[in-house]
């Protein structure tokens, strides 16, 4: 998103505020770091005086808030960090924006606080149709035999929040705070809830980059439970395009769901990833299927996420740009071409963390 905004809007000054914890990596934005409209600030969003200072010093008139702890497995191990960053960090940003904007003559006029959230706040859907059904919609993102839904129910914007994991509970809480700042103080807020993202630069604790790297090194692929859980996958640049559109044209106080109508069972997506990696590495197709290793299920593992993004498609004309097959191909290619990026990450402390985590499961 930062890359998109810096390149597309030379007239904006973009301040990228990041604490650079384990998943943060300045190498991800190397190609834009010398642009005159790009500014990096290493800071913790929980530091309210510093957030206020940045707001005042740099005359910030819009906030797009993506700073969060986001990995469910980590939240099961360490929920405190999730409450701290996701809830208290959001509150600190809200309060800083409010204090600064209220001090200006025009107050909230022309300002925007846009909070990025997750579909996981809605809880989990069932999988009443294990073989999938033809859904009543068409998008560019899905095609052919994979153009399936695993039930008739979808997450819509008016659904009750029912978070199950400490991660989604923390995100749900932060969403409530954002809406409360609109309802109580009239802050111009917007919330969006997006489905699973995939694509370049994703930290390899998430399913797709983790598995691409493991397949490359012929390491086991830990599939939780039976691999029957369903996720709705969106290419990261399509999410960034949606954020751009909503930041500029979305209606204040509204919520928009973002997703690709692109549901996959974990085990099916894993097979696609294996076949793609094998093909691009010149291995016989399917050679690495035996790396699939069924392991103890994640505690409280949500069965199905399925976003209904028709409001966004209808009201703002957004639609995903990529066929899923294209997106996966691009993604696998990127990780294989950027092995050094991956090696830098997987050679450090992260490896130890990852091994400890699995020892303690
Ligand atoms: P993940 O990338 O962690 O995203 P989320 O939990 O937010 O959906 O996981 C995607 C799915 O893949 C989820 O159903 C859990 C499963 N999974 C595995 O089976 N094995 C793994 O090693 C990981 C990381 C995830």
């Amino acid at each position: 998103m930062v890359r998109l905004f810096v390149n597309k809007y030379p007239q904006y000054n973009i301040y990228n505020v990041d604490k650079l914890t384990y998943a943060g990596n300045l190498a991800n934005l190397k190609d834009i770091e010398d642009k005159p409209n790009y500014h990096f600030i290493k800071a913790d969003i929980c530091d309210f005086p510093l957030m206020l200072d940045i707001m005042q010093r740099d005359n910030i008139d819009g906030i797009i808030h993506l700073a969060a702890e986001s990995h469910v497995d980590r939240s099961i191990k360490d929920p405190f960090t999730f409450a701290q960053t996701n809830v208290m960090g959001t509150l600190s940003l809200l309060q800083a924006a409010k204090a600064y904007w209220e001090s200006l003559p025009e107050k909230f006029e022309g300002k925007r606080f846009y909070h990025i959230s997750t579909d996981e706040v809605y809880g989990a859907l069932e999988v009443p149709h294990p073989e999938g059904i033809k859904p009543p919609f068409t998008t560019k993102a899905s095609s052919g035999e994979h153009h399936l839904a695993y039930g008739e129910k979808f997450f819509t914007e008016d659904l009750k929040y029912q978070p199950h994991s400490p991660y989604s509970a923390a995100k749900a809480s932060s969403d409530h705070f954002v809406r409360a700042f609109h309802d109580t103080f009239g802050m111009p807020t917007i919330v969006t809830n997006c489905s699973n993202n995939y694509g370049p630069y994703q930290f390899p604790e998430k399913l797709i980059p983790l598995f691409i790297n493991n397949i490359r090194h012929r390491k086991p692929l830990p599939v939780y439970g039976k691999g029957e859980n369903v996720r709705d996958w969106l290419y990261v640049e399509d999410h960034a395009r949606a954020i751009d559109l909503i930041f500029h044209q979305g209606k204040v106080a509204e919520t928009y769901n973002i997703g690709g109508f692109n549901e996959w069972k974990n085990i099916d997506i894993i097979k696609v990833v294996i076949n793609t990696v094998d093909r691009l590495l010149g291995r016989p197709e399917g050679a690495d299927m035996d790396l699939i290793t069924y392991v103890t299920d994640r505690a409280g593992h949500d069965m199905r996420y399925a976003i209904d993004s028709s409001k966004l498609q209808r009201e703002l004309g957004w639609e995903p740009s990529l066929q899923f097959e294209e997106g996966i191909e691009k993604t696998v290619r990127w990780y294989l071409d950027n092995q050094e990026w991956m090696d830098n990450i997987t050679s450090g402390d992260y490896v130890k963390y990852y091994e400890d985590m699995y020892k303690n499961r």
Side-chain angles (χ1 to χ4, degrees), residues 52-237:
L52 184 56
D53 194 47
I54 294 169
M55 295 282 305
Q56 290 166 337
R57 192 187 57 205
D58 297 318
N59 194 13
I60 303 296
D61 55 9
I63 294 181
I64 305 179
H65 172 31
L66 305 101
E69 292 285 340
S70 70
H71 193 51
V72 174
D73 293 322
R74 283 178 189 259
S75 81
I76 294 168
K77 244 190 130 199
D78 174 21
F80 284 111
T81 310
F82 283 70
Q84 180 65 17
T85 299
N86 299 1
V87 186
M88 295 307 287
T90 300
L91 185 53
S92 154
L93 270 183
L94 283 164
Q95 191 69 2
K98 173 178 175 288
Y100 172 55
W101 291 340
E102 280 186 341
S103 74
L104 301 172
E106 77 276 13
K107 303 209 183 296
F108 292 141
E109 189 69 39
K111 310 295 188 298
R112 185 146 288 197
F113 190 107
Y114 176 3
H115 178 62
I116 309 296
S117 192
T118 167
D119 58 356
E120 303 191 25
V121 296
Y122 297 118
L125 298 165
E126 299 294 310
V127 178
H129 302 285
E131 300 313 316
I133 50 167
K134 269 255 171 260
F137 42 70
T138 52
T139 74
K140 276 195 194 163
S142 306
S143 67
E145 59 184 305
H146 306 302
H147 190 185
L148 297 173
Y150 287 91
E152 290 89 3
K153 290 203 181 129
F154 294 87
F155 293 146
T156 49
E157 287 84 356
D158 54 358
L159 219 60
K160 188 171 111 184
Y161 272 30
Q162 282 188 302
H164 296 304
S165 72
Y167 161 61
S168 51
K171 287 299 286 185
S173 170
S174 66
D175 294 8
H176 289 315
F177 269 109
V178 173
R179 295 197 182 97
F181 268 63
H182 170 268
D183 297 349
T184 308
F185 306 112
M187 279 256 291
T189 62
I190 294 186
V191 176
T192 58
N193 299 81
C194 190
S195 62
N196 285 58
N197 282 208
Y198 72 98
Y201 300 106
Q202 192 171 30
F203 193 80
E205 63 188 352
K206 301 284 168 76
L207 181 75
I208 291 183
L210 175 69
F211 278 31
I212 293 172
N213 194 44
N214 283 12
I215 298 162
R216 184 186 170 106
H217 294 291
R218 294 215 156 96
K219 293 207 292 204
L221 307 174
V223 180
Y224 300 163
K226 295 186 186 152
E228 302 266 291
N229 302 65
V230 172
R231 296 291 182 267
D232 177 0
W233 295 92
L234 184 68
Y235 191 67
V236 61
E237 288 175 14

Side-chain angles (χ1 to χ4, degrees), residues 335-347:
Y335 286 99
L336 296 181
D337 289 347
N338 288 276
Q339 193 54 37
E340 203 183 323
W341 178 91
M342 185 66 93
D343 289 345
N344 281 340
I345 291 170
T346 52
S347 62

